[in-house]
Amino acid sequence: MPPQRSTGTEAEHPLYAGQYLLETRLGSGGMGIVHLARSASGLRLAVKVVHAEFSQDPEFRGRFRQEVAAARRVSGAFTAPVVDADPEAERPWMATLFIPGPTLAEHVKRNGALSTDRLRHLMAGLAEALRDIHRAGVVHRDLKPSNVLLAEDGPKVIDFGISRPSDSELRTETGKLIGTPPFMAPEQFSRPRHVGPAADVFALGSVIVHAATGSGPFDSDSPYLVAYQVVHDEPDLTGVPEELVDLVSRCLAKEPEDRPTPDELMTALRSVSASYDTRAFIPEQRTSGGEPVPPGRKPRPLHERPEGSEDRTHAAAVKRGGRRRRLPALVAAAGLAVAAGVVGVLGLPGGSQSPAAEHHTTPTAGHAFRPWNLDLKASGAEAGGQSQCAYTPRTLLCVRPGVLAAAIDPDNGKVLWSRSGAGDTSTYSTPAPVLSGGLLMVGNGHRLTALDPTTGATRWSKDIERYDGRIAHVAGMVLLTGPDSEVVALNAATGKEAWRRSVPGTKLPQFQSFGDGVAYAVATPTLSTTRVTAVDPRTGATNWQRTMHGQLSIVAAHEGAVWFASTTIDQYTDAVLRYDVTNRGIHRAALRVPQARAQVAVQGDTAYLLGNDGSLVAVNTRTSKQLWRVETSVSKASAPTVAGRHLYLTTVDGRLIAVDTVRGALLGQTKAHLAGSRGSLVSALPAPLTVGTHVYATAPDGSLFAVDGRDPSGW
């Protein structure tokens, strides 16, 4: 391997990075210099070599190792793939595939604003890129025009110099802000240690404004003024095409939870214009000096371009005539920590009483499983809403608005029998069906009906309207809580009353069950305490009662332990508690970063918490150790379902996503299930159902589908 030079001027301009001969310099920035090089096979590479002055700084080396790790995670269709790297070299370096094409900053500077069609294409391409980056568990944190390459096959996002893998231990220092102010989200100024994927969406909005107008939505020569505007002012969208204003405005919402996800952006963009052209925008190619080359013509030989040219792009951006800013009078008093250090980095249910024999078939014994998709419709109706299902050893039993119940062959998706819910064609979610006492319990809020799961025939039925949804199915019993707090228990197999009584110390108890044969009721007598009552469903006797500190909700119970999620007053889940029923011991596993409105699944001693913003965390509830964290880039998803090494969740656009429970790696996803105008908005998404190696999920378009869970990457 040829040696690196280490003296004189060549210490800053080495001839080699590893085995790669550095031919010419492409640019320079705060972290290092980017050179053009070639691999042994002739591939053109962009090789970044860290500045000599930083190469001995342990913190800087740690940040560069983080950049390499992030770039490798996201290496794919929307980024510059990593070819090689050595973050431990005397002069750390990383080689990525060289992508011909100007940066967005260069293109706007030389050619002015993009047309509306190109803006739509750019916005969709960046949304796709962020979707993949976030799925890889990375938050970019510095998306800006100079970090977007306009390649022939669409935009590429580069420079992961200040991005952070979600499971990284390297954190933003207190008092130091990292990013480029005109493209930073408000939370990057106010709470930089807790920046998530939504910050990249904010930056995307700012990038689109720049591409449409030549200036950002918050524009000033002073970073202090820009920071104040980002946090306090409304964005200036003058010049943004009218059809994109609403989407861009949503991206620039002050609160992260108010911004769309990349998937939601792509869905919205498809409906912006019926004539939306998805063909790739083929820009001018670039030379090392940034000179444009018309499509189809080979670029001129590369020459050096001035050091720092990447970093000066924003300052040299085209200014729109007539754009005015209202500037705060007392900016210096804003107290923003920009002065502490803003770092820029290079490129770096009931119905009728008899089943309506719509379909009658029998399962095919030994039939090989193949993925399937079914639209379970109501008889003679086009009701929307999602299906919800339970499972018997040979049958999926499902309900849907307009469908009282249906039995489905789990191997091939064929309907075995179906009963229409007379008059019930609402698109709102129906309660999930429950198998109890050997019967299928289905309801629509007014009547509970027990069906024979083999034929669909009614076995018994009861009016339950007075119980206002306070109904639970536990260990072969149906528990109904009346408005007077009296609990009536029915034998699920017969519908006969078994007992009736009040539960001491609990008003209007709503019971939950988790397969351990116990009915749990949770009450919050004060804002800071939770009372938990465990009841024997067969007799109504109280097994135990305990008052605990905090606002708690039960999330799991098995093997003599009960798990609770602790929620703060602002609806953030900050801990998981494990309660040992025998010795009455409590172990609290606090989260490093609270999860917004988290949904929790527990397998063994591990709790998996899925935040409303898409962050997914695994925590050992005995040791309090955080095992991993990944950003799914999915907001408002279903509750997670855990089965062995796989965790599954469904999304608002009908995708099923799989995550490795050991490594926290995203394994694969199905296509979206949104059928145009037939798609419907739902208040809650049913969690996926797993049976052996098969996974069953439902989507807002009304479809029920099944996939083989053994290889999610093949979905």
Side-chain angles (χ1 to χ4, degrees), residues 340-394:
V342 179
V343 183
V345 188
L346 168 72
L348 299 176
S352 60
Q353 296 300 305
S354 61
E358 297 169 6
H359 301 274
H360 287 286
T361 62
T362 56
T364 304
H367 180 69
F369 174 83
R370 297 181 64 182
W372 51 263
N373 191 329
L374 169 69
D375 187 356
L376 184 63
K377 291 189 177 73
S379 178
E382 290 293 332
Q386 294 191 104
S387 301
Q388 299 197 67
C389 301
Y391 183 79
T392 67
R394 294 184 62 189

Side-chain angles (χ1 to χ4, degrees), residues 53-74:
E53 62 186 288
F54 297 133
S55 61
Q56 302 307 313
D57 184 337
E59 178 189 347
F60 197 91
R61 278 183 172 269
R63 193 168 296 283
F64 188 73
R65 281 192 294 269
Q66 178 174 283
E67 176 184 2
V68 173
R72 278 177 164 154
R73 284 194 184 198
V74 304

Side-chain angles (χ1 to χ4, degrees), residues 581-643:
V581 175
T582 302
N583 62 29
R584 300 173 67 85
I586 298 176
H587 182 83
R588 178 184 175 91
L591 302 184
R592 293 177 187 169
V593 179
Q595 297 282 86
R597 302 179 183 88
Q599 301 185 86
V600 187
V602 177
Q603 179 175 256
D605 289 320
T606 303
Y608 302 89
L609 298 92
L610 177 63
N612 198 45
D613 60 355
S615 57
L616 178 62
V617 176
V619 178
N620 186 304
T621 60
R622 283 190 181 271
T623 65
S624 298
K625 181 181 179 180
Q626 179 172 306
L627 305 178
W628 49 259
R629 179 185 180 98
V630 65
E631 301 295 341
T632 67
S633 187
V634 175
S635 63
K636 304 178 181 65
S638 73
T641 296
V642 183

